[in-house]
Amino acid sequence: MRKKFNSKFIVRQGVIAALYVLMTVVPPLSNLSYGPIQLRLSEALTLLAFFNGEYIWGLTIGCFFANIFSPFGVLDIIVGTLASFLAAYFMSKCKNIWLSSIVPAIANILVGIQLYFIGVSKTGVLIVTGQIMISEIIVVSLIGVPIFKMLIKNKVLVEYLKLNTKNKNLTINFKKMGK
């Protein structure tokens, strides 16, 4: 099934891209958005791709424009945007919100490697990458998932944003994991 690029689709993507940019570059959030230790709160929006793959567009565009403000230049625009695209794409394929929420941490291994090689930190590539991954888990898994679990209770919002909550696992089944 092909996605329709109608005016509603374009508006939804534009709003999400703008939200991502604002949540990244507006002070004091901008102080937390770039570097080896970052709590980019806009990354919680990547969970939109879990509920509807169309948000890959808005999230990727938002990351691109947010990274224009990065102190790390063109390389951060390219690598960071690629990492966000990969995260959103693979999140859209997941069926479990918790599994989906760790995908950005994995995708942002690219950002950790990039930050190390441009000399942002001399602590070692594994430490820089680990810092980025932990930051992503904090923002997406520990902050984003609980927020989205509350938001999807609002049926009007779910319908407006076209969030697909069917066939999505929003819990962790520890009994199943132990078998």
Side-chain angles (χ1 to χ4, degrees):
M1 185 174 124
R2 292 188 57 142
K3 296 278 183 201
K4 288 186 179 180
F5 287 89
N6 59 27
S7 59
K8 287 182 180 180
F9 171 88
I10 293 168
V11 168
R12 275 194 305 275
Q13 300 319 304
V15 167
I16 296 308
L19 271 173
Y20 189 101
V21 171
L22 287 173
M23 290 174 68
T24 304
V25 303
V26 172
L29 298 176
S30 59
N31 297 334
L32 302 170
S33 295
Y34 305 100
I37 298 177
Q38 57 180 256
L39 292 171
R40 189 180 277 203
L41 296 179
S42 53
E43 282 290 293
L45 293 173
T46 60
L47 287 165
L48 287 167
F50 169 74
F51 292 104
N52 186 337
E54 84 173 22
Y55 288 107
I56 296 168
W57 290 92
L59 294 165
T60 303
I61 293 166
C63 181
F64 174 83
F65 282 107
N67 283 351
I68 289 173
F69 296 92
S70 168
F72 308 116
V74 174
L75 188 60
D76 201 27
I77 295 169
I78 295 166
V79 174
T81 302
L82 175 63
S84 284
F85 168 76
L86 291 172
Y89 175 79
F90 286 109
M91 290 173 84
S92 74
K93 304 301 180 194
C94 288
K95 297 290 184 203
N96 182 289
I97 195 167
W98 295 102
L99 178 60
S100 177
S101 74
I102 63 168
V103 171
I106 296 166
N108 274 281
I109 289 172
L110 294 172
V111 173
I113 293 168
Q114 169 223 321
L115 290 175
Y116 175 75
F117 282 110
I118 62 173
V120 171
S121 176
K122 300 295 184 206
T123 59
V125 69
L126 293 177
I127 292 174
V128 174
T129 302
Q131 290 170 329
I132 296 292
M133 292 176 77
I134 290 167
S135 300
E136 288 289 326
I137 289 170
I138 290 168
V139 171
V140 183
S141 301
L142 302 180
I143 297 171
V145 170
I147 289 171
F148 269 85
K149 287 176 102 174
M150 285 189 311
L151 289 176
I152 63 171
K153 292 178 183 175
N154 182 328
K155 301 300 178 198
V156 174
L157 185 64
V158 168
E159 186 176 317
Y160 179 76
L161 293 176
K162 300 205 177 300
L163 302 180
N164 176 14
T165 58
K166 293 177 178 23
N167 301 320
K168 298 290 184 174
N169 185 353
L170 304 176
T171 61
I172 298 176
N173 188 341
F174 290 105
K175 290 181 183 177
K176 208 178 213 183
M177 290 171 67
K179 291 184 180 181

mmCIF file of all heavy atoms in Angstrom, residues 108-150:
data_model
loop_
_atom_site.group_PDB
_atom_site.id
_atom_site.type_symbol
_atom_site.label_atom_id
_atom_site.label_comp_id
_atom_site.label_asym_id
_atom_site.label_seq_id
_atom_site.Cartn_x
_atom_site.Cartn_y
_atom_site.Cartn_z
ATOM 1 N N ASN A 108 22.368 5.147 17.149
ATOM 2 C CA ASN A 108 23.247 6.269 17.482
ATOM 3 C C ASN A 108 24.662 5.840 17.838
ATOM 4 O O ASN A 108 25.481 6.678 18.232
ATOM 5 C CB ASN A 108 22.615 7.136 18.570
ATOM 6 C CG ASN A 108 21.688 8.151 17.948
ATOM 7 O OD1 ASN A 108 22.131 9.161 17.430
ATOM 8 N ND2 ASN A 108 20.399 7.865 17.957
ATOM 9 N N ILE A 109 24.968 4.560 17.664
ATOM 10 C CA ILE A 109 26.364 4.128 17.711
ATOM 11 C C ILE A 109 27.142 4.932 16.663
ATOM 12 O O ILE A 109 28.280 5.331 16.890
ATOM 13 C CB ILE A 109 26.480 2.609 17.467
ATOM 14 C CG1 ILE A 109 25.943 1.843 18.682
ATOM 15 C CG2 ILE A 109 27.916 2.211 17.150
ATOM 16 C CD1 ILE A 109 25.835 0.339 18.482
ATOM 17 N N LEU A 110 26.483 5.205 15.536
ATOM 18 C CA LEU A 110 27.113 6.018 14.476
ATOM 19 C C LEU A 110 27.520 7.394 14.993
ATOM 20 O O LEU A 110 28.597 7.893 14.677
ATOM 21 C CB LEU A 110 26.148 6.183 13.299
ATOM 22 C CG LEU A 110 25.771 4.938 12.512
ATOM 23 C CD1 LEU A 110 24.663 5.255 11.515
ATOM 24 C CD2 LEU A 110 26.991 4.379 11.807
ATOM 25 N N VAL A 111 26.652 8.013 15.785
ATOM 26 C CA VAL A 111 26.939 9.346 16.318
ATOM 27 C C VAL A 111 28.095 9.275 17.315
ATOM 28 O O VAL A 111 28.970 10.139 17.317
ATOM 29 C CB VAL A 111 25.682 9.966 16.961
ATOM 30 C CG1 VAL A 111 26.004 11.278 17.661
ATOM 31 C CG2 VAL A 111 24.601 10.176 15.905
ATOM 32 N N GLY A 112 28.103 8.241 18.146
ATOM 33 C CA GLY A 112 29.199 8.077 19.097
ATOM 34 C C GLY A 112 30.538 7.952 18.398
ATOM 35 O O GLY A 112 31.526 8.589 18.789
ATOM 36 N N ILE A 113 30.568 7.148 17.355
ATOM 37 C CA ILE A 113 31.811 6.976 16.576
ATOM 38 C C ILE A 113 32.209 8.297 15.921
ATOM 39 O O ILE A 113 33.375 8.701 15.949
ATOM 40 C CB ILE A 113 31.639 5.851 15.541
ATOM 41 C CG1 ILE A 113 31.487 4.501 16.256
ATOM 42 C CG2 ILE A 113 32.806 5.825 14.558
ATOM 43 C CD1 ILE A 113 31.038 3.368 15.359
ATOM 44 N N GLN A 114 31.235 8.983 15.365
ATOM 45 C CA GLN A 114 31.502 10.276 14.726
ATOM 46 C C GLN A 114 32.076 11.270 15.731
ATOM 47 O O GLN A 114 33.077 11.937 15.452
ATOM 48 C CB GLN A 114 30.212 10.825 14.121
ATOM 49 C CG GLN A 114 30.322 12.266 13.662
ATOM 50 C CD GLN A 114 29.103 13.092 14.034
ATOM 51 O OE1 GLN A 114 27.991 12.619 13.958
ATOM 52 N NE2 GLN A 114 29.325 14.315 14.418
ATOM 53 N N LEU A 115 31.462 11.382 16.911
ATOM 54 C CA LEU A 115 31.946 12.332 17.915
ATOM 55 C C LEU A 115 33.366 11.998 18.365
ATOM 56 O O LEU A 115 34.179 12.897 18.598
ATOM 57 C CB LEU A 115 30.997 12.371 19.120
ATOM 58 C CG LEU A 115 29.635 13.008 18.865
ATOM 59 C CD1 LEU A 115 28.742 12.879 20.093
ATOM 60 C CD2 LEU A 115 29.774 14.468 18.459
ATOM 61 N N TYR A 116 33.654 10.732 18.477
ATOM 62 C CA TYR A 116 35.006 10.336 18.858
ATOM 63 C C TYR A 116 36.014 10.751 17.781
ATOM 64 O O TYR A 116 37.050 11.332 18.076
ATOM 65 C CB TYR A 116 35.088 8.824 19.102
ATOM 66 C CG TYR A 116 36.500 8.380 19.372
ATOM 67 C CD1 TYR A 116 37.097 8.633 20.606
ATOM 68 C CD2 TYR A 116 37.248 7.745 18.386
ATOM 69 C CE1 TYR A 116 38.410 8.249 20.854
ATOM 70 C CE2 TYR A 116 38.560 7.350 18.639
ATOM 71 C CZ TYR A 116 39.134 7.607 19.866
ATOM 72 O OH TYR A 116 40.430 7.235 20.102
ATOM 73 N N PHE A 117 35.695 10.460 16.528
ATOM 74 C CA PHE A 117 36.657 10.722 15.460
ATOM 75 C C PHE A 117 36.817 12.195 15.119
ATOM 76 O O PHE A 117 37.851 12.581 14.574
ATOM 77 C CB PHE A 117 36.340 9.887 14.219
ATOM 78 C CG PHE A 117 36.782 8.469 14.372
ATOM 79 C CD1 PHE A 117 35.858 7.453 14.499
ATOM 80 C CD2 PHE A 117 38.132 8.144 14.431
ATOM 81 C CE1 PHE A 117 36.264 6.141 14.669
ATOM 82 C CE2 PHE A 117 38.550 6.840 14.602
ATOM 83 C CZ PHE A 117 37.614 5.834 14.730
ATOM 84 N N ILE A 118 35.848 13.036 15.466
ATOM 85 C CA ILE A 118 36.054 14.467 15.236
ATOM 86 C C ILE A 118 36.709 15.131 16.449
ATOM 87 O O ILE A 118 36.926 16.330 16.458
ATOM 88 C CB ILE A 118 34.756 15.207 14.837
ATOM 89 C CG1 ILE A 118 33.699 15.146 15.929
ATOM 90 C CG2 ILE A 118 34.227 14.696 13.523
ATOM 91 C CD1 ILE A 118 32.463 15.999 15.646
ATOM 92 N N GLY A 119 37.012 14.313 17.466
ATOM 93 C CA GLY A 119 37.792 14.815 18.593
ATOM 94 C C GLY A 119 37.011 15.470 19.705
ATOM 95 O O GLY A 119 37.584 16.206 20.498
ATOM 96 N N VAL A 120 35.712 15.206 19.789
ATOM 97 C CA VAL A 120 34.904 15.802 20.843
ATOM 98 C C VAL A 120 35.314 15.258 22.211
ATOM 99 O O VAL A 120 35.273 15.957 23.202
ATOM 100 C CB VAL A 120 33.399 15.546 20.586
ATOM 101 C CG1 VAL A 120 32.553 15.962 21.753
ATOM 102 C CG2 VAL A 120 32.969 16.275 19.328
ATOM 103 N N SER A 121 35.736 14.010 22.241
ATOM 104 C CA SER A 121 36.137 13.391 23.500
ATOM 105 C C SER A 121 37.352 12.501 23.258
ATOM 106 O O SER A 121 37.423 11.800 22.260
ATOM 107 C CB SER A 121 34.976 12.565 24.060
ATOM 108 O OG SER A 121 35.380 11.888 25.220
ATOM 109 N N LYS A 122 38.242 12.521 24.187
ATOM 110 C CA LYS A 122 39.440 11.685 24.088
ATOM 111 C C LYS A 122 39.340 10.464 25.010
ATOM 112 O O LYS A 122 40.322 9.782 25.249
ATOM 113 C CB LYS A 122 40.688 12.499 24.464
ATOM 114 C CG LYS A 122 40.906 13.703 23.574
ATOM 115 C CD LYS A 122 41.209 13.301 22.154
ATOM 116 C CE LYS A 122 41.505 14.521 21.315
ATOM 117 N NZ LYS A 122 41.229 14.361 19.929
ATOM 118 N N THR A 123 38.158 10.204 25.540
ATOM 119 C CA THR A 123 37.995 9.118 26.512
ATOM 120 C C THR A 123 37.951 7.746 25.869
ATOM 121 O O THR A 123 37.997 6.750 26.567
ATOM 122 C CB THR A 123 36.719 9.314 27.340
ATOM 123 O OG1 THR A 123 35.597 9.353 26.471
ATOM 124 C CG2 THR A 123 36.792 10.584 28.165
ATOM 125 N N GLY A 124 37.826 7.674 24.589
ATOM 126 C CA GLY A 124 37.758 6.387 23.902
ATOM 127 C C GLY A 124 36.421 6.215 23.210
ATOM 128 O O GLY A 124 35.391 6.688 23.683
ATOM 129 N N VAL A 125 36.471 5.563 22.069
ATOM 130 C CA VAL A 125 35.272 5.420 21.243
ATOM 131 C C VAL A 125 34.171 4.649 21.973
ATOM 132 O O VAL A 125 32.994 4.981 21.845
ATOM 133 C CB VAL A 125 35.613 4.793 19.869
ATOM 134 C CG1 VAL A 125 36.030 3.336 20.011
ATOM 135 C CG2 VAL A 125 34.461 4.938 18.902
ATOM 136 N N LEU A 126 34.541 3.639 22.753
ATOM 137 C CA LEU A 126 33.516 2.856 23.460
ATOM 138 C C LEU A 126 32.818 3.681 24.538
ATOM 139 O O LEU A 126 31.606 3.559 24.736
ATOM 140 C CB LEU A 126 34.116 1.585 24.054
ATOM 141 C CG LEU A 126 34.585 0.540 23.050
ATOM 142 C CD1 LEU A 126 35.220 -0.642 23.760
ATOM 143 C CD2 LEU A 126 33.441 0.084 22.154
ATOM 144 N N ILE A 127 33.568 4.522 25.218
ATOM 145 C CA ILE A 127 32.963 5.354 26.267
ATOM 146 C C ILE A 127 32.038 6.400 25.655
ATOM 147 O O ILE A 127 30.907 6.589 26.117
ATOM 148 C CB ILE A 127 34.049 6.001 27.157
ATOM 149 C CG1 ILE A 127 34.735 4.896 27.966
ATOM 150 C CG2 ILE A 127 33.459 7.065 28.076
ATOM 151 C CD1 ILE A 127 35.919 5.338 28.774
ATOM 152 N N VAL A 128 32.498 7.082 24.617
ATOM 153 C CA VAL A 128 31.667 8.105 23.961
ATOM 154 C C VAL A 128 30.383 7.465 23.402
ATOM 155 O O VAL A 128 29.286 7.978 23.602
ATOM 156 C CB VAL A 128 32.441 8.822 22.828
ATOM 157 C CG1 VAL A 128 31.540 9.765 22.059
ATOM 158 C CG2 VAL A 128 33.622 9.570 23.403
ATOM 159 N N THR A 129 30.549 6.330 22.732
ATOM 160 C CA THR A 129 29.396 5.637 22.163
ATOM 161 C C THR A 129 28.461 5.170 23.269
ATOM 162 O O THR A 129 27.236 5.298 23.153
ATOM 163 C CB THR A 129 29.866 4.452 21.292
ATOM 164 O OG1 THR A 129 30.726 4.968 20.272
ATOM 165 C CG2 THR A 129 28.701 3.741 20.651
ATOM 166 N N GLY A 130 29.020 4.657 24.345
ATOM 167 C CA GLY A 130 28.199 4.231 25.487
ATOM 168 C C GLY A 130 27.422 5.386 26.097
ATOM 169 O O GLY A 130 26.258 5.231 26.481
ATOM 170 N N GLN A 131 28.057 6.560 26.180
ATOM 171 C CA GLN A 131 27.368 7.748 26.716
ATOM 172 C C GLN A 131 26.168 8.125 25.842
ATOM 173 O O GLN A 131 25.091 8.437 26.358
ATOM 174 C CB GLN A 131 28.335 8.933 26.804
ATOM 175 C CG GLN A 131 29.391 8.773 27.862
ATOM 176 C CD GLN A 131 30.470 9.838 27.763
ATOM 177 O OE1 GLN A 131 30.792 10.345 26.686
ATOM 178 N NE2 GLN A 131 31.054 10.176 28.894
ATOM 179 N N ILE A 132 26.362 8.090 24.535
ATOM 180 C CA ILE A 132 25.270 8.410 23.614
ATOM 181 C C ILE A 132 24.155 7.380 23.759
ATOM 182 O O ILE A 132 22.966 7.728 23.820
ATOM 183 C CB ILE A 132 25.772 8.460 22.151
ATOM 184 C CG1 ILE A 132 26.780 9.585 21.953
ATOM 185 C CG2 ILE A 132 24.620 8.574 21.168
ATOM 186 C CD1 ILE A 132 26.221 10.975 22.065
ATOM 187 N N MET A 133 24.513 6.106 23.831
ATOM 188 C CA MET A 133 23.512 5.045 23.937
ATOM 189 C C MET A 133 22.713 5.160 25.240
ATOM 190 O O MET A 133 21.485 5.034 25.233
ATOM 191 C CB MET A 133 24.177 3.670 23.836
ATOM 192 C CG MET A 133 24.753 3.393 22.456
ATOM 193 S SD MET A 133 25.632 1.825 22.369
ATOM 194 C CE MET A 133 24.237 0.691 22.284
ATOM 195 N N ILE A 134 23.400 5.421 26.342
ATOM 196 C CA ILE A 134 22.704 5.584 27.624
ATOM 197 C C ILE A 134 21.774 6.787 27.574
ATOM 198 O O ILE A 134 20.637 6.732 28.057
ATOM 199 C CB ILE A 134 23.716 5.691 28.787
ATOM 200 C CG1 ILE A 134 24.391 4.335 29.006
ATOM 201 C CG2 ILE A 134 23.048 6.179 30.066
ATOM 202 C CD1 ILE A 134 25.612 4.377 29.908
ATOM 203 N N SER A 135 22.236 7.874 26.960
ATOM 204 C CA SER A 135 21.391 9.064 26.811
ATOM 205 C C SER A 135 20.118 8.731 26.045
ATOM 206 O O SER A 135 19.018 9.162 26.420
ATOM 207 C CB SER A 135 22.150 10.170 26.077
ATOM 208 O OG SER A 135 23.308 10.548 26.761
ATOM 209 N N GLU A 136 20.252 7.974 24.963
ATOM 210 C CA GLU A 136 19.089 7.590 24.154
ATOM 211 C C GLU A 136 18.119 6.718 24.953
ATOM 212 O O GLU A 136 16.905 6.887 24.869
ATOM 213 C CB GLU A 136 19.525 6.851 22.891
ATOM 214 C CG GLU A 136 20.176 7.727 21.859
ATOM 215 C CD GLU A 136 19.211 8.679 21.177
ATOM 216 O OE1 GLU A 136 18.033 8.321 20.981
ATOM 217 O OE2 GLU A 136 19.638 9.785 20.820
ATOM 218 N N ILE A 137 18.648 5.781 25.719
ATOM 219 C CA ILE A 137 17.783 4.909 26.518
ATOM 220 C C ILE A 137 17.037 5.717 27.575
ATOM 221 O O ILE A 137 15.837 5.508 27.798
ATOM 222 C CB ILE A 137 18.601 3.750 27.138
ATOM 223 C CG1 ILE A 137 19.011 2.777 26.025
ATOM 224 C CG2 ILE A 137 17.809 3.032 28.228
ATOM 225 C CD1 ILE A 137 20.018 1.731 26.433
ATOM 226 N N ILE A 138 17.727 6.671 28.193
ATOM 227 C CA ILE A 138 17.061 7.518 29.190
ATOM 228 C C ILE A 138 15.910 8.287 28.551
ATOM 229 O O ILE A 138 14.788 8.295 29.058
ATOM 230 C CB ILE A 138 18.069 8.486 29.856
ATOM 231 C CG1 ILE A 138 19.023 7.704 30.765
ATOM 232 C CG2 ILE A 138 17.345 9.586 30.652
ATOM 233 C CD1 ILE A 138 20.219 8.504 31.253
ATOM 234 N N VAL A 139 16.186 8.948 27.425
ATOM 235 C CA VAL A 139 15.179 9.797 26.803
ATOM 236 C C VAL A 139 14.037 8.989 26.180
ATOM 237 O O VAL A 139 12.856 9.283 26.403
ATOM 238 C CB VAL A 139 15.810 10.739 25.753
ATOM 239 C CG1 VAL A 139 14.750 11.464 24.948
ATOM 240 C CG2 VAL A 139 16.725 11.738 26.430
ATOM 241 N N VAL A 140 14.371 7.981 25.390
ATOM 242 C CA VAL A 140 13.334 7.263 24.642
ATOM 243 C C VAL A 140 12.629 6.219 25.508
ATOM 244 O O VAL A 140 11.404 6.181 25.568
ATOM 245 C CB VAL A 140 13.901 6.634 23.352
ATOM 246 C CG1 VAL A 140 12.807 5.954 22.554
ATOM 247 C CG2 VAL A 140 14.596 7.694 22.494
ATOM 248 N N SER A 141 13.402 5.382 26.200
ATOM 249 C CA SER A 141 12.797 4.289 26.967
ATOM 250 C C SER A 141 12.216 4.749 28.302
ATOM 251 O O SER A 141 11.069 4.420 28.629
ATOM 252 C CB SER A 141 13.821 3.183 27.236
ATOM 253 O OG SER A 141 14.336 2.670 26.039
ATOM 254 N N LEU A 142 13.004 5.484 29.072
ATOM 255 C CA LEU A 142 12.580 5.834 30.422
ATOM 256 C C LEU A 142 11.656 7.047 30.492
ATOM 257 O O LEU A 142 10.834 7.140 31.406
ATOM 258 C CB LEU A 142 13.800 6.051 31.325
ATOM 259 C CG LEU A 142 14.753 4.857 31.447
ATOM 260 C CD1 LEU A 142 15.917 5.193 32.368
ATOM 261 C CD2 LEU A 142 14.013 3.616 31.926
ATOM 262 N N ILE A 143 11.791 7.965 29.552
ATOM 263 C CA ILE A 143 10.926 9.151 29.534
ATOM 264 C C ILE A 143 9.846 9.014 28.460
ATOM 265 O O ILE A 143 8.662 9.192 28.725
ATOM 266 C CB ILE A 143 11.753 10.442 29.319
ATOM 267 C CG1 ILE A 143 12.712 10.655 30.493
ATOM 268 C CG2 ILE A 143 10.830 11.658 29.142
ATOM 269 C CD1 ILE A 143 13.726 11.777 30.297
ATOM 270 N N GLY A 144 10.257 8.675 27.236
ATOM 271 C CA GLY A 144 9.328 8.646 26.108
ATOM 272 C C GLY A 144 8.244 7.589 26.192
ATOM 273 O O GLY A 144 7.067 7.877 25.936
ATOM 274 N N VAL A 145 8.615 6.361 26.527
ATOM 275 C CA VAL A 145 7.616 5.279 26.564
ATOM 276 C C VAL A 145 6.489 5.584 27.552
ATOM 277 O O VAL A 145 5.319 5.496 27.188
ATOM 278 C CB VAL A 145 8.270 3.897 26.823
ATOM 279 C CG1 VAL A 145 7.209 2.842 27.110
ATOM 280 C CG2 VAL A 145 9.120 3.481 25.633
ATOM 281 N N PRO A 146 6.784 5.962 28.803
ATOM 282 C CA PRO A 146 5.674 6.281 29.709
ATOM 283 C C PRO A 146 4.797 7.435 29.207
ATOM 284 O O PRO A 146 3.566 7.399 29.362
ATOM 285 C CB PRO A 146 6.369 6.654 31.024
ATOM 286 C CG PRO A 146 7.683 5.959 30.962
ATOM 287 C CD PRO A 146 8.076 5.965 29.507
ATOM 288 N N ILE A 147 5.416 8.438 28.589
ATOM 289 C CA ILE A 147 4.627 9.558 28.054
ATOM 290 C C ILE A 147 3.710 9.063 26.938
ATOM 291 O O ILE A 147 2.516 9.382 26.909
ATOM 292 C CB ILE A 147 5.547 10.696 27.557
ATOM 293 C CG1 ILE A 147 6.197 11.392 28.751
ATOM 294 C CG2 ILE A 147 4.765 11.691 26.695
ATOM 295 C CD1 ILE A 147 7.274 12.391 28.383
ATOM 296 N N PHE A 148 4.240 8.264 26.017
ATOM 297 C CA PHE A 148 3.421 7.764 24.914
ATOM 298 C C PHE A 148 2.332 6.818 25.403
ATOM 299 O O PHE A 148 1.232 6.800 24.851
ATOM 300 C CB PHE A 148 4.274 7.109 23.829
ATOM 301 C CG PHE A 148 4.700 8.073 22.776
ATOM 302 C CD1 PHE A 148 5.831 8.852 22.943
ATOM 303 C CD2 PHE A 148 3.965 8.234 21.622
ATOM 304 C CE1 PHE A 148 6.215 9.768 21.986
ATOM 305 C CE2 PHE A 148 4.335 9.144 20.646
ATOM 306 C CZ PHE A 148 5.465 9.914 20.829
ATOM 307 N N LYS A 149 2.614 6.036 26.425
ATOM 308 C CA LYS A 149 1.593 5.137 26.960
ATOM 309 C C LYS A 149 0.427 5.942 27.536
ATOM 310 O O LYS A 149 -0.718 5.503 27.469
ATOM 311 C CB LYS A 149 2.191 4.188 27.991
ATOM 312 C CG LYS A 149 3.053 3.108 27.332
ATOM 313 C CD LYS A 149 3.716 2.228 28.343
ATOM 314 C CE LYS A 149 2.979 0.926 28.450
ATOM 315 N NZ LYS A 149 3.651 -0.046 29.322
ATOM 316 N N MET A 150 0.710 7.129 28.078
ATOM 317 C CA MET A 150 -0.370 8.006 28.548
ATOM 318 C C MET A 150 -1.072 8.669 27.367
ATOM 319 O O MET A 150 -2.297 8.750 27.335
ATOM 320 C CB MET A 150 0.173 9.076 29.496
ATOM 321 C CG MET A 150 0.513 8.560 30.867
ATOM 322 S SD MET A 150 0.905 9.846 32.070
ATOM 323 C CE MET A 150 2.084 10.859 31.220
#
